[in-house]
Amino acid sequence: MKASFRLLTTRRFLPLFATQFLGAFNDNLFKQAMILIATYQIYSNARAEATFSAIATGLFILPFFLLSALSGQLADSTDKARIVRLVKTAEIAIMLLGAGALFAGSVPLMLAAVLAMGIHSTFFGPIKYALLPQHLEADEVLGGTGLVEASTYCAILSGTILAGKIDAHVTAILAIVVAVAGWFTARGIPPAPPMGAHKKLDWHIIRSSIRLIASTMHIPRLFLAICSISFFWMIGAILIIQFPPLVKNVFTADKEVASVFLAIFSVGVAIGSILINRLLGGRVSARYASGSVAAMALFIILMGISAENWTPAPTGTYFTLSDFLTHPGAPLASLSLLGIAITGGMFVVPLYAFLTTTVEIEQTARTVAANNIVNSGAMVLGAAIAGILTQIGFSIVGTLMSVSVLCLLAAALAWKLDCACRDHERELIHVDMD
């Protein structure tokens, strides 16, 4: 653990860490402010609000489908540090557009900014993970990945909560300031030139996406790792959709309690991200992945039990934070939520580290890009599953409990991945002996 935190004192890690944190903070600060303005100032009915949310989510995910292959190719064929600086320069322009949208309350400008943010994230994502194995030692990659993941969830928490506490105009100005700060930290990232022979870029985004996925998914270990990560994001999408109505309609609590739920979840994932590095001793392995996500299923069931036995607030009222914390069912609900988050972090972080260390360094960005394409599809599928279950009559708690089944499927995939890795290690030992 001390070795991992010592990375924060090195130039080969700290500038990337700070740039990632500021970018994730800014994304969530702007998106949450936009949602609050649309919900409380622009629209006045639930259907319009839901439509806006669906369109905004679709526009943000769309670039991951269309441009991940191109971003992966670009990252593997160009100096990654240079691309980060270009992306962060673009973020300043995006936040200027976003600030104008918040000041004007313009829905088209807001959606344009969201689409631009999606493009920004699409190009930054593969580079973020591909830089780690290039700048860090082999026994530092897992710790570095854990710190990046932990900081990401803390940034999500900070940006989301702050957006609800400050004026939209202040948010607009702050978003620009943070974007400029990210531009400065990006300039400190050491050069990261391409490691392999230069390859011609395929600008046909559909063809290149198909080729990218095909060239990655045929490797059994990578196929299983990407599928496992995608299951995690599918589960995460369903949980995130269910948490707000769960807090409001089942736990009958107010918005402050919903913020506490978000805080517990974000901090829990951060704890899990760091804890798994301690358990694995810095070694990249899927050893604990299946057990972690199986435990996640158990905590989801406990959350469901807590919800089923919850005594609601009197009709027409909501529990305040103090009321919620003193409720007899609060300890089980809170511990269940914390357990879901910690085990989720323990499950997914080693798999991301696995992606970046299994392939050759010159292929890491493309591998992450292929993973992003599949993950995006899984998130959309998760949202669709949640919607379908609601439409056919599943309750909020019933939908929540159904996620535990997906956790068990993810556990089976992770177990197969661990077996495949062990088989690969035995093959390497036999080759060395021969």
Side-chain angles (χ1 to χ4, degrees), residues 387-405:
I388 291 171
L389 291 178
T390 301
Q391 291 298 318
I392 63 177
F394 271 62
S395 65
I396 296 171
V397 176
T399 301
L400 182 69
M401 297 286 265
S402 69
V403 177
S404 60
V405 178

Side-chain angles (χ1 to χ4, degrees), residues 36-358:
L36 292 175
I37 288 177
T39 302
Y40 293 100
Q41 297 182 24
I42 297 177
Y43 298 114
S44 58
N45 66 82
R47 178 171 294 181
E49 294 160 9
T51 301
F52 175 84
S53 179
I55 293 173
T57 301
L59 286 175
F60 185 80
I61 294 176
L62 182 62
F64 287 92
F65 280 114
L66 299 179
L67 300 176
S68 285
L70 178 60
S71 69
Q73 293 180 74
L74 188 64
D76 279 337
S77 60
T78 312
D79 189 307
K80 299 174 185 62
R82 180 171 177 268
I83 298 176
V84 172
R85 288 191 284 273
L86 290 174
V87 167
K88 288 300 154 181
T89 301
E91 183 183 352
I92 296 175
I94 293 169
M95 287 306 156
L96 286 171
L97 173 64
L102 293 180
F103 270 102
S106 170
V107 171
L109 282 180
M110 288 181 188
L111 294 178
V114 167
L115 177 61
M117 287 166 56
I119 296 172
H120 162 275
S121 298
T122 299
F123 280 89
F124 182 66
I127 296 173
K128 172 181 68 177
Y129 290 107
L131 276 169
L132 294 176
Q134 191 163 349
H135 284 161
L136 304 183
E137 300 296 332
D139 60 352
E140 296 175 330
V141 173
L142 180 61
T145 304
L147 287 175
V148 168
E149 288 296 300
S151 72
T152 298
Y153 283 96
C154 289
I156 291 171
L157 170 66
S158 304
T160 302
I161 291 179
L162 185 60
K165 292 184 175 294
I166 60 178
D167 181 79
H169 294 169
V170 177
T171 299
I173 296 171
L174 180 59
I176 297 173
V177 172
V178 173
V180 172
W183 182 84
F184 276 107
T185 59
R187 294 181 67 82
I189 298 174
M195 302 298 292
H198 177 73
K199 295 182 180 180
K200 185 178 180 180
L201 294 180
D202 184 354
W203 294 93
H204 193 297
I205 57 177
I206 303 299
R207 180 179 62 210
S208 59
S209 296
I210 294 173
R211 286 180 176 176
L212 178 63
I213 295 174
S215 65
T216 302
M217 299 292 274
H218 78 279
I219 304 172
R221 289 172 297 140
L222 285 182
F223 172 81
L224 290 170
I226 290 174
C227 287
S228 298
I229 294 172
S230 296
F231 257 98
F232 173 81
W233 285 114
M234 183 190 300
I235 292 165
I238 298 174
L239 290 176
I240 289 170
I241 289 171
Q242 295 305 310
F243 278 162
L246 179 70
V247 172
K248 179 182 178 183
N249 301 305
V250 178
F251 292 120
T252 57
D254 62 16
K255 294 180 182 179
E256 190 175 4
V257 177
S259 296
V260 170
F261 259 58
L262 176 62
I264 293 174
F265 189 77
S266 299
V267 171
V269 174
I271 293 172
S273 300
I274 302 300
L275 180 60
I276 191 62
N277 183 46
R278 178 68 177 270
L279 291 175
L280 290 173
R283 181 172 177 267
V284 178
S285 169
R287 182 190 313 168
Y288 296 109
S290 58
S292 296
V293 75
M296 187 178 180
L298 177 61
F299 283 115
I300 289 173
I301 292 172
L302 288 176
M303 173 68 79
I305 293 174
S306 172
E308 286 285 5
N309 292 281
W310 188 267
T311 302
T315 304
T317 64
Y318 293 104
F319 288 126
T320 63
L321 179 58
S322 59
D323 294 333
F324 178 84
L325 293 176
T326 57
H327 192 285
L332 179 59
S334 301
L335 289 175
S336 298
L337 178 61
L338 184 63
I340 292 170
I342 291 176
T343 51
M346 292 176 64
F347 171 70
V348 77
V349 167
L351 299 184
Y352 271 111
F354 181 86
L355 285 182
T356 60
T357 56
T358 299

